[in-house]
Amino acid sequence: MKINTFSNLAFRVLIYLALRNNQTVKTSEIADAYFVSFNHIKKVITLLIQHGYITGTKGRGGGVKLAVDPKKINVGEVFKLTIEDVALAECFASPTNKCVISPTCRLRNILQDATAKFIEELERYTLYDLIEGKEGALAMHLAIDFIELE
C-alpha cells in the first residue's frame, strides 16, 4: 500500500501548522518549505478547511492555521478523508472487477482485514504524536522557527 500524494501533503501541511503553533501561515510558505506546487498545497488546504482542521483568512496578512488542537487531530481520520482509493486488488473495485476467481478467492477478505488493521493502527495516533519530541529537528529541516508546544 502506498499513501497517495494528496494524503502525504495533508499530513505535511498539518505538521507544518502544528510546528507554527497557532500562527497564521501563508500557503506559499508551506509550499516553499516542502518544495511542492502551490496549487497542490492549496487543494489540500481547501479540504482541510472544509473539514474544520484548519482555518483560513483571506486578504493581506491572511493565511492558515490549525483550528483544532494537535492532540485532537486523528491520523487515521485524516488518512480516510484524503485517501482516494484503498483498493489493494482488482476485486475491491466491484463494478470494474474482471477477476474470474473473485467469488471463491480468499485473498479479498485477507486484504480487507489487513486494510482495516492498517487504518486501525493509524487511528491510534494524533498529529501531536507525529511531532512530539521532534519539533526542533522538523523545524530545522523545514527551515522555520517553531513555537514551543503546550
Side-chain angles (χ1 to χ4, degrees), residues 108-127:
R108 179 181 178 158
N109 291 336
I110 293 168
L111 292 176
Q112 283 176 326
D113 288 345
T115 300
K117 287 178 179 153
F118 175 76
I119 292 172
E120 283 174 24
E121 184 67 18
L122 292 177
E123 289 173 339
R124 293 180 52 217
Y125 299 96
T126 66
L127 175 59

Side-chain angles (χ1 to χ4, degrees), residues 52-63:
Y53 289 107
I54 63 178
T55 57
T57 308
K58 294 182 180 183
R60 188 174 199 168

Side-chain angles (χ1 to χ4, degrees), residues 77-146:
E77 292 302 315
V78 173
F79 176 76
K80 289 186 288 188
L81 174 67
T82 60
I83 198 73
E84 291 171 1
D85 187 10
V86 188
L88 296 179
E90 180 184 357
C91 54
F92 277 58
S94 298
T96 58
N97 179 17
K98 294 191 179 6
C99 181
V100 296
I101 62 170
S102 287
T104 55
C105 182
R106 292 185 173 154
L107 182 60
R108 179 181 178 158
N109 291 336
I110 293 168
L111 292 176
Q112 283 176 326
D113 288 345
T115 300
K117 287 178 179 153
F118 175 76
I119 292 172
E120 283 174 24
E121 184 67 18
L122 292 177
E123 289 173 339
R124 293 180 52 217
Y125 299 96
T126 66
L127 175 59
Y128 184 81
D129 295 324
L130 299 181
I131 60 174
E132 181 185 23
K134 301 288 184 187
E135 300 92 342
L138 289 165
M140 182 191 73
H141 290 297
L142 292 168
I144 60 171
D145 295 324
F146 78 95

Side-chain angles (χ1 to χ4, degrees), residues 16 18-19 38 46 49-50 71 90-91 93 113-114 124 129 147:
Y16 192 95
L19 291 171
F38 173 86
T46 299
I49 288 172
Q50 288 171 348
K71 292 178 181 175
E90 180 184 357
C91 54
D113 288 345
R124 293 180 52 217
D129 295 324
I147 299 168

